[in-house]
Amino acid sequence: MQGFANFMWLLSLALILFSGFALIDAAVRREDAYRAADKNTKPFWLIILGLAFVVNLIFNIFSFLPIIGLIATIVYMVDVRPALRQVGGGGRRGSSSDGPYGPYNGGR
């Protein structure tokens, strides 16, 4: 039983870290990037992700509220964040052909 409790504690910690990372990422993005990507506003996502973070801190993993927060965090990470990065709202600058060590020039 102790192993299950440890697993649930680690899962809870992972949810807190995941929602915290999404909240920080949403906070550092530019406001105009949200409009350019045609996503909801920055304050909307900060409120949603902030609530998800607080809910993950307060409630047990077996409650339905952390699951709703997880869904909101996943929506931000897989839909909104890539759209913000695509319009230049942060992250790595450069061409789409840039590799990890610089631009790819086709072997020239």
Side-chain angles (χ1 to χ4, degrees):
M1 200 62 171
Q2 183 65 30
F4 182 72
N6 287 340
F7 173 73
M8 294 310 289
W9 182 82
L10 287 174
L11 188 61
S12 231
L13 182 64
L15 282 176
I16 291 168
L17 293 175
F18 185 54
S19 61
F21 173 77
L23 178 62
I24 291 169
D25 186 73
V28 299
R29 301 289 174 176
R30 295 186 344 235
E31 170 72 34
D32 59 341
Y34 288 87
R35 289 188 305 266
D38 199 27
K39 301 298 177 187
N40 282 319
T41 63
K42 182 176 182 174
F44 172 82
W45 281 108
L46 289 177
I47 290 169
I48 295 295
L49 295 172
L51 286 173
F53 181 73
V54 169
V55 162
N56 284 329
L57 281 174
I58 295 174
F59 289 99
N60 189 353
I61 189 100
F62 291 116
S63 176
F64 71 95
L65 289 175
I67 303 300
I68 293 171
L70 176 64
I71 292 170
T73 305
I74 289 172
V75 166
Y76 175 80
M77 293 298 286
V78 301
D79 182 39
V80 178
R81 185 173 187 250
L84 294 176
R85 291 183 73 183
Q86 189 174 22
V87 298
R92 188 173 63 131
R93 303 269 183 207
S95 126
S96 63
S97 66
D98 282 356
Y101 305 110
Y104 177 71
N105 61 8
R108 289 181 246 148

